[in-house]
Amino acid sequence: MANRKLRIGLIGAGGISETHCHGWSKLADCELVAITDMNAQAAQKRAQDFKIPSVESSAKTLVARKDIDVVDVVVPNFFHKEFSIAAMNAGKHVLCEKPLALTRKEVLAMIAASEKTGKKLMAAQHMRFQQETEAMKAYITSNPLGDVYYGRAWYNRRRQLPCRPGFMYMKNSGGGCCIDVGVHVLDTALHLMNNFEPVSVTGVSLTKLARRPDAWSEWGTIDKENLDVEDFAAGFIRFANGAALSLECSFMLNQKSKYTSRIDLFGSEAGIAWPECEVYSTSASKCFVDSKIEFLPGEAPHHKVISAFAESVMGDTEVPVPPSQSLAVISILEGLYKSQKTGSEVVLAKA
């Protein structure tokens, strides 16, 4: 592979595929060779815009091609497991849009396929690659916060429910804001905490605003009659080391800002605020010691996650978002949904 480009095939031509195509196109040592989608017209449009030479009739024919090294799965959540496993079984490495899958059982099946075939598997958790996240992670790796015993993480929007079939219907997405945006901030929080050993979760998953007669979204027309996903979720997670994390996410929340995403971590030595990149501590001389991490502008995180995965494939190194960590994230989110149904705390299986 060192003497030729890494060849990419895309399964999916929806909205996020454009971002992925831009990301792959920026890499001199990668080339897009094929794309497929159930909507043939959408696939043809992506192929035309990004000079992709081949449009396949199905995912099955795409993964069977001998001239593809990596399959990028950018389809509704419900199909992540099926297409990813098919690609790995056909000898392809897989980059899959978040969430990696919808349940712990599905992620375990994907990990098993990766281990059996020796092919790499990674969820495209792009928020790990934001400049703020990378700067904060680098700082606290060199300057530990001590015992991180509590954290808060939230990702809330105001009247910004995505009004496309891939987001409004459980049969396609497997959930609403929790599985769509909650997965982002939860993964980032665990990454900064360096803690992927959850033991239990309790939470709520509610649809309080999206089906109201007067409900509306800035992002399209809500199908109020058939929408069956939550527009708000919140949870409380306990970890094996005694730490805890609160999680909150929404598409429709009645708040001042149209969008807020934040993580606060509290350690025995210092605390941090993300994405502000602020650090808070005290001194023995009764002083408050606060600081702010500054960083230079960088590449778009969606593109960086693609570049990082490509480097791991070409260099045969561990992927920067190990699927074992995605397993912890999905276990928590699945547990939160179960807690809503049972009305009680859910004990999670060990990874």
Side-chain angles (χ1 to χ4, degrees):
M1 191 177 298
N3 297 320
R4 62 171 175 80
K5 292 184 176 183
L6 194 66
R7 300 164 303 191
I8 318 302
L10 260 75
I11 300 179
I16 194 62
S17 69
E18 181 176 11
T19 301
H20 281 239
C21 286
H22 277 297
W24 289 114
S25 298
K26 284 176 174 285
L27 302 178
D29 47 8
C30 297
E31 62 177 328
L32 292 162
V33 300
I35 188 171
T36 188
D37 193 277
M38 292 178 64
N39 183 335
Q41 187 175 0
Q44 290 286 354
K45 178 69 164 58
R46 283 284 180 267
Q48 180 180 351
D49 290 347
F50 290 94
K51 297 181 173 57
I52 303 173
S54 178
V55 176
E56 292 293 333
S57 60
S58 68
K60 182 178 181 179
T61 59
L62 185 143
V63 302
R65 289 178 58 139
K66 302 299 183 183
D67 61 342
I68 289 176
D69 304 304
V70 170
V71 169
D72 190 354
V73 178
V74 284
V75 293
N77 303 341
F78 183 78
F79 300 101
H80 286 187
K81 174 202 166 191
E82 175 188 350
F83 292 156
S84 295
I85 290 178
M88 287 184 284
N89 285 340
K92 278 68 175 174
H93 302 287
V94 171
L95 178 67
C96 181
E97 249 304 322
K98 60 78 193 171
L100 186 57
L102 295 175
T103 66
R104 172 185 170 82
K105 183 178 179 180
E106 288 186 352
V107 176
L108 286 171
M110 295 166 78
I111 291 174
S114 175
E115 293 175 345
K116 178 182 177 182
T117 61
K119 296 302 171 182
K120 298 185 188 300
L121 169 68
M122 189 179 98
Q125 296 284 174
H126 75 271
M127 281 177 62
R128 288 199 190 194
F129 296 85
Q130 289 182 205
Q131 291 294 101
E132 297 89 343
T133 311
E134 291 186 329
M136 194 84 265
K137 182 67 173 178
Y139 178 85
I140 61 181
T141 298
S142 300
N143 304 272
L145 304 179
D147 176 20
V148 179
Y149 54 89
Y150 180 60
R152 298 187 296 238
W154 65 91
Y155 192 128
N156 292 319
R157 295 175 182 158
R158 181 182 186 182
R159 297 302 187 275
Q160 290 183 341
L161 187 150
C163 298
R164 300 193 298 276
F167 296 91
M168 289 192 293
Y169 311 130
M170 190 70 73
K171 65 180 182 180
N172 294 331
S173 63
C177 59
C178 188
I179 204 73
D180 181 44
V181 296
V183 68
H184 275 312
V185 74
L186 176 60
D187 177 78
T188 306
L190 301 192
H191 175 58
L192 293 175
M193 293 173 73
N194 193 31
N195 193 339
F196 292 89
E197 297 184 16
V199 294
S200 69
V201 59
T202 183
V204 294
S205 170
L206 310 169
T207 308
K208 287 293 186 180
L209 301 175
R211 288 198 291 259
R212 285 172 53 112
D214 59 351
W216 54 273
S217 171
E218 291 187 335
W219 291 358
T221 302
I222 303 172
D223 181 2
K224 300 170 188 174
E225 182 176 349
N226 297 303
L227 178 144
D228 58 355
V229 299
E230 80 280 358
D231 59 44
F232 174 80
F236 186 81
I237 304 118
R238 297 178 185 273
F239 296 85
N241 68 345
L245 175 73
S246 62
L247 173 69
E248 184 181 295
C249 50
S250 178
F251 285 150
M252 302 280 287
L253 203 63
N254 287 322
Q255 63 179 19
K256 182 176 181 179
S257 175
K258 288 186 178 181
Y259 162 76
T260 56
S261 182
R262 180 171 170 131
I263 297 168
D264 293 321
L265 297 183
F266 304 97
S268 55
E269 299 299 323
I272 63 164
W274 173 99
E276 292 84 350
C277 283
E278 294 177 346
V279 183
Y280 315 115
S281 62
T282 59
S283 71
S285 56
K286 298 183 179 180
C287 293
F288 294 108
V289 182
D290 299 344
S291 58
K292 185 174 178 65
I293 301 168
E294 301 288 350
F295 51 85
L296 297 175
E299 188 182 358
H302 277 101
H303 298 167
K304 288 171 76 172
V305 70
I306 288 171
S307 176
F309 180 72
E311 288 177 8
S312 73
V313 171
M314 291 185 287
D316 193 22
T317 57
E318 184 180 14
V319 294
V321 185
S324 60
Q325 295 181 359
S326 295
L327 176 63
V329 172
I330 299 306
S331 295
I332 291 170
L333 297 180
E334 183 183 20
L336 191 153
Y337 283 130
K338 184 176 180 180
S339 179
Q340 167 64 28
K341 293 179 179 178
T342 63
S344 59
E345 186 175 33
V346 174
V347 176
L348 303 175
K350 289 184 178 181

